[in-house]
C-alpha cells in the first residue's frame, strides 16, 4: 500500500503547499513513513511550514546526480511534534537562478534532460524500495511546467486543487483534457479538491447540491458549487474533498501546520477524511 500523491493546480495560490504539508504531517501522525517533496522548483515554499530555508542538500542535487536520498530528505519528525507515530521526511528545492538553469537551462541537450528525469524516477523508486516510504507527497508548480508534468508522470494519484471563488473553469478544463487525459489512460487516478470554503465551516459529506454551511458566521448559506460540479462532469474527474477555510485561526504572518496545532478544526478533520479515502481507495501500481 505505497502511494505517490501529487498536488497540482492550473492557477497559483490554490493551497497546494498548505495541503501537501498538513496532509503529510497528519499521515505521519497516523503512523506512516511519509516523504514530502518540494517539486515547485521555480517558487518553492514548503520550507516556510517547517522553518527550514538552507538545507545542506537539495532535491536539485539528487536530480543532478550529486546527492543521495539520505542527503536530501531530512527527517523532521521531532521538529514538528512529539505526538507523531510515524516519520515525516522532507526534501526541499533550490530556486536560485543557477539551479533553475541547471534543471531547465539545458533543454537543448536532450540527453541531460533525460538523465534528470531518470534520476527523478529513481528518487521515487528509492523512497519506496530502499526507504520503505508509505506515502510520497509531492508539491508542484501551478500550470503546465516541465517539473510539474514530470511529477504528474511519476504519481499514482494527482489531486487537482481549486480555490473556492476562483475556479478557472476554462483553464482547468484545457489542462485536464490535454495533460491529465494522457496519464489517466495509463492508470493514474485524478481527483478534484476544492479548497478554502467560506469562513469557519463544515460541509456535510451527504449534501452536495446545494451544500449548506452548518457552523460559523456563514451558517445556513448554500455554497455555490454548481460550477465545480459542471467542471467535474466535463473533465470526468470526481471531487474527492472540499476543504474549509481556516482564516478564523490564522492570525500570524508565518505559516504553521494547522493540522497539528488545531486537531479538531474542520480543516484538519477534512484532511484526515481525505487520508482515510486515499488509504483505502487505491492500491499502489508499479509504473
Ligand atoms: N484552507 C485554507 N484556509 C485558509 N487559508 C488557506 C487555506 N489553504 C491555503 N491557505 C492560505 O492561502 C495561501 C496560499 O496557499 P498555498 O501557498 O498553499 O497555495 P499554493 O497553491 O501552494 O500556491 P502557489 O501556486 O503559489 O505555490 C497561503 O497563505 C495559505 O496559508
Ligand atoms: Mg505552493
Amino acid at each position: 500500500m505505497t502511494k505517490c500523491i501529487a498536488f497540482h493546480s492550473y492557477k497559483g495560490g490554490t493551497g497546494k503547499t498548505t495541503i501537501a504539508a498538513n496532509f503529510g504531517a497528519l499521515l505521519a501522525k497516523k503512523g506512516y513513513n511519509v516523504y514530502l517533496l518540494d517539486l515547485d522548483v521555480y517558487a518553492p515554499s514548503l520550507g516556510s511550514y517547517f522553518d527550514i530555508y538552507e538545507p545542506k542538500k537539495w532535491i536539485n542535487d539528487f536530480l543532478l546526480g550529486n546527492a543521495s536520498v539520505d542527503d536530501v530528505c531530512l527527517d523532521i519528525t521531532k521538529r514538528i511534534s512529539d505526538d507523531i507515530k510515524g516519520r515525516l521526511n522532507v526534501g526541499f528545492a533550490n530556486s536560485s537562478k543557477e539551479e533553475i538553469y541547471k534543471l531547465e537551462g539545458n533543454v537543448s541537450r536532450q540527453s541531460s534532460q533525460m538523465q534528470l528525469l531518470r534520476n527523478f524516477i529513481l528518487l521515487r523508486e528509492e523512497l519506496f524500495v530502499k526507504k520503505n516510504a508509505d506515502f510520497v507527497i509531492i508539491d508542484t508548480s501551478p500550470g503546465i511546467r516541465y517539473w510539474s508534468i514530470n511529477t504528474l508522470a511519476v504519481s499514482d494519484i494527482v489531486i487537482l486543487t481549486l480555490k473556492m471563488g476562483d475556479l478557472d473553469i476554462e483553464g482547468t478544463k484545457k489542462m485536464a483534457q490535454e495533460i491529465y487525459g494522457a496519464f489517466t489512460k495509463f492508470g493514474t487516478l485524478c481527483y478534484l479538491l476544492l479548497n478554502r470554503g467560506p469562513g469557519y465551516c463544515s460541509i456535510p459529506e451527504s449534501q452536495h447540491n446545494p451544500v449548506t454551511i452548518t457552523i460559523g458566521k456563514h451558517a445556513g448559506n448554500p455554497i455555490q458549487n454548481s460550477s465545480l460540479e459542471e467542471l467535474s462532469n466535463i473533465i470526468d474527474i470526481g471531487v474527492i474533498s472540499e476543504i474549509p477555510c481556516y482564516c478564523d485561526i490564522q492570525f500570524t504572518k508565518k505559516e504553521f501546520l494547522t493540522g497539528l496545532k488545531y486537531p479538531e478544526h474542520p480543516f484538519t478533520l477534512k484532511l484526515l477524511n481525505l487520508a482515510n479515502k486515499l488509504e483505502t481507495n487505491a492500491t499502489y501500481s508499479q509504473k
Side-chain angles (χ1 to χ4, degrees):
M1 198 256 357
T2 48
K3 285 179 195 139
C4 182
I5 303 173
F7 287 92
H8 185 228
S9 63
Y10 176 68
K11 291 189 83 171
T14 57
K16 297 176 292 299
T17 307
T18 308
I19 294 173
N22 280 281
F23 186 59
L26 288 170
L27 283 171
K29 188 176 174 185
K30 283 180 87 158
Y32 291 108
N33 185 23
V34 179
Y35 282 79
L36 178 61
L37 307 180
D38 197 343
L39 259 291
D40 184 357
V41 295
Y42 314 96
S45 58
L46 211 47
S48 61
Y49 284 84
F50 306 106
D51 261 339
I52 297 176
Y53 301 97
E54 287 293 331
K56 285 203 183 87
K57 294 278 181 182
W58 307 87
I59 289 175
N60 312 52
D61 296 313
F62 186 95
L63 296 177
L64 292 160
N66 300 328
S68 68
V69 166
D70 288 322
D71 291 335
V72 301
C73 292
L74 305 182
D75 183 343
I76 57 150
T77 316
K78 290 275 172 293
R79 197 180 173 108
I80 55 170
S81 165
D82 296 329
D83 185 26
I84 307 280
K85 293 199 202 85
R87 308 222 71 82
L88 183 63
N89 311 277
V90 188
F92 299 94
N94 185 342
S95 62
S96 70
K97 206 168 66 193
E98 298 75 29
E99 289 297 323
I100 296 291
Y101 177 77
K102 285 188 219 157
L103 289 191
E104 281 239 310
N106 288 337
V107 278
S108 56
R109 291 179 53 204
Q110 226 179 28
S111 63
S112 81
Q113 220 180 6
M114 283 308 294
Q115 189 54 49
L116 290 171
L117 182 54
R118 265 198 291 272
N119 285 346
F120 187 35
I121 295 167
L122 183 70
L123 175 61
R124 175 204 145 106
E125 290 313 309
E126 283 202 15
L127 292 178
F128 285 131
V129 177
K130 290 196 189 156
K131 307 307 293 180
N132 294 318
D134 295 309
F135 287 92
V136 174
I137 315 268
I138 314 184
D139 184 24
T140 66
S141 307
I144 304 171
R145 309 292 301 266
Y146 182 65
W147 283 101
S148 296
I149 304 303
N150 286 346
T151 300
L152 304 185
V154 305
S155 298
D156 306 306
I157 299 174
V158 174
I159 304 205
L160 176 46
T161 313
L162 298 138
K163 189 166 90 176
M164 178 68 106
D166 191 19
L167 307 178
D168 191 317
I169 304 285
E170 283 312 308
T172 306
K173 198 168 85 184
K174 195 159 171 278
M175 187 180 75
Q177 288 168 336
E178 287 179 3
I179 308 289
Y180 285 41
F183 297 121
T184 49
K185 249 189 230 156
F186 294 101
T188 308
L189 297 169
C190 294
Y191 299 105
L192 293 177
L193 180 150
L194 181 68
N195 188 26
R196 299 196 78 160
Y200 180 66
C201 57
S202 150
I203 303 163
E205 284 293 347
S206 54
Q207 297 177 26
H208 267 281
N209 196 13
V211 174
T212 306
I213 304 163
T214 53
I215 309 173
K217 60 182 176 169
H218 299 278
N221 295 335
I223 293 175
Q224 298 304 318
N225 70 344
S226 56
S227 315
L228 182 69
E229 282 188 12
E230 189 190 315
L231 177 66
S232 168
N233 288 334
I234 295 171
I235 61 178
D236 199 21
I237 299 181
V239 179
I240 195 164
S241 189
E242 295 175 4
I243 309 266
C245 199
Y246 58 70
C247 51
D248 56 311
I249 49 170
Q250 182 98 352
F251 298 119
T252 55
K253 276 192 202 151
K254 220 172 82 41
E255 299 288 3
F256 59 82
L257 291 171
T258 310
L260 297 185
K261 199 166 171 188
Y262 293 91
E264 300 302 328
H265 193 278
F267 173 84
T268 308
L269 300 180
K270 277 285 178 178
L271 281 187
L272 285 171
N273 182 268
L274 178 66
N276 291 342
K277 288 180 185 168
L278 294 180
E279 271 170 333
T280 53
N281 82 340
T283 47
Y284 168 58
S285 60
Q286 192 74 45
K287 292 207 180 269

